[in-house]
Amino acid sequence: MNELRLGLPDDWHVHLRQGPGLAAYAARTATSCGRMLVMPNTLPPVADGLAVDAYRAQIAAAAPSCQPLMTFKLLPGMGTAAVAGCLAAGCLAGKYYPAGATTNAADGVADPTSIHQELAYMEDNDIVLSIHGENPAAPALERETEFLPVVDRLIHAYPRLRIVLEHLSTASAVAAVLAWPERVAATITAHHLFFCIDDLLGGSLQPGLFCKPPLKSAADRRALVAAAVSGSPRFFFGSDSAPHPVSAKLSSAAPAGCYTAPVALPLLAEVFAAAGALSALEHFTSRAGANFYRLPPNRGELLLTRQAWQVPSEIDGCLPPAAGRQLAWQAVRL
Ligand code: NCD
Ligand code: ZN
């Protein structure tokens, strides 16, 4: 197959930042997606109704053809009134960042009991809990697996809460999701499906591939691909596109985050084609997530064509993963 039309995808996990880059980052996601679930780890964080409204307005102005779906950041002590304000402003999910786990997460959650009232309120109001599942105290490559017991306790403590474990990176997380009740789902990124840790540091170090959770083994990657192509309602696409300016990425303290928005759909097409599962791609990019978030599919289509291109070394002032590499597929929004 050299051409494939998909119902227009959604990106269920994207970082758009605030300030000068936002317009370009939002417009970039709009080239392949009809909706995007926008992560709230800006400075200051998106954690009250006014901030949600202001951030949505900036994004909508920059990318009118991609609907921003909003989230708020769970902050210990924020209180249920602030959560109610975020819901009134239309948030679909509250995001749980373990304190210190990733970019702008110093103010995150050190202990889940510190957000008990907020989680109970979310459960009562059927708002999704979105989790960055890493224990920052664990060794770097074990952080996701070591966080799974925390997710397990949350699932049992809040028996009606719907949960998305974000950007899976391990076979153990895939197995955990499948063992949990159906109200628990997960996003998977294009880079965790395409690359493994050897691509990051097996040759020369590739800062464009450094993210949290870090890329893992080839066996982990295979488990993620099996989950993504399975047609399960539990796994759907979230790019975790996380732009950092080239100057920061190439500094002596490179921040975590891959700017995948410009390459995500081509990477996914290549992964699904290699697995002989191109017919399962639409479910992963354009159906399963919408079903989980109880939204209709997008109108519109994305055309994927098998046509090689070389990823530039810089896009929107950022270093894309796969920079300089030939990719087999191109994506055009129809
Ligand atoms: C993200 C970022 O830079 O905001 N970084 C990353 O490595 N994924 C934050 C996140 O989702 O962890
Ligand atoms: Zn995250």
Side-chain angles (χ1 to χ4, degrees):
M1 202 189 300
N2 290 321
E3 214 178 84
L4 180 67
R5 280 170 184 254
L6 302 178
L8 193 60
D10 292 306
D11 185 344
W12 291 106
H13 184 129
V14 67
H15 301 269
L16 299 178
R17 313 305 189 201
Q18 248 164 350
L22 183 151
Y25 307 149
R28 185 66 59 184
T29 291
T31 62
S32 55
C33 293
R35 292 176 295 218
M36 49 189 166
L37 190 69
V38 182
M39 293 298 124
N41 62 331
T42 50
L43 286 177
V46 181
D48 63 62
L50 285 178
V52 171
D53 283 335
Y55 196 30
R56 181 200 285 108
Q58 288 174 39
I59 298 163
S65 62
C66 188
Q67 185 188 357
L69 304 172
M70 305 306 288
T71 65
F72 65 93
K73 189 176 189 180
L74 278 159
L75 300 174
M78 71 190 289
T80 54
V83 176
C86 293
L87 304 201
C91 282
L92 296 192
K95 180 78 185 273
Y96 177 133
Y97 288 98
T102 189
T103 307
N104 301 341
D107 58 356
V109 179
D111 169 4
T113 60
S114 68
I115 51 166
H116 167 66
Q117 286 179 358
E118 291 81 0
L119 292 176
Y121 187 90
M122 288 168 65
E123 180 182 36
D124 285 343
N125 288 278
D126 199 18
I127 292 303
V128 170
L129 173 66
S130 158
I131 303 179
H132 181 111
E134 284 194 297
N135 173 1
L141 297 181
E142 292 159 37
R143 289 179 185 169
E144 183 172 272
T145 300
E146 293 218 0
F147 195 78
L148 296 174
V150 178
V151 181
D152 199 58
R153 285 195 287 277
L154 288 168
I155 290 167
H156 289 99
Y158 304 93
R160 289 168 291 122
L161 187 60
R162 294 192 307 127
I163 297 176
V164 177
L165 188 57
E166 303 290 347
H167 38 56
L168 300 193
S169 67
T170 56
S172 55
V174 170
V177 170
L178 288 171
W180 283 326
E182 287 198 357
R183 63 191 162 89
V184 185
T187 56
I188 307 180
T189 75
H191 49 291
H192 288 96
L193 291 170
F194 194 95
F195 297 106
C196 65
I197 191 165
D198 293 90
D199 297 298
L200 168 67
L201 45 70
S204 58
L205 184 66
Q206 300 292 310
L209 289 179
F210 172 56
C211 65
K212 301 278 179 74
L215 297 165
K216 303 289 186 333
S217 70
D220 288 304
R221 191 185 76 83
R222 281 194 295 275
L224 295 169
V225 171
V229 306
S230 68
S232 161
R234 317 289 289 281
F235 302 105
F236 43 85
F237 171 57
S239 71
D240 195 17
S241 183
H244 294 279
V246 173
S247 56
K249 262 301 200 190
L250 298 182
S251 73
S252 58
C258 298
Y259 185 44
T260 47
V263 294
L265 271 298
L267 291 178
L268 288 177
E270 202 160 325
V271 167
F272 277 65
L278 272 177
S279 62
L281 184 55
E282 182 176 61
H283 175 80
F284 180 70
T285 59
S286 320
R287 297 280 183 263
N291 289 343
F292 186 85
Y293 279 97
R294 298 179 180 148
L295 292 171
N298 285 313
R299 285 203 292 270
E301 287 184 317
L302 189 78
L303 176 66
L304 291 162
T305 43
R306 202 191 289 268
Q307 206 177 353
W309 62 294
Q310 185 169 346
V311 180
S313 56
E314 187 175 322
I315 302 180
D316 303 328
C318 301
L319 177 68
R325 204 171 157 133
Q326 287 256 324
L327 295 185
W329 291 79
Q330 298 192 17
V332 179
R333 182 172 172 168
L334 300 177

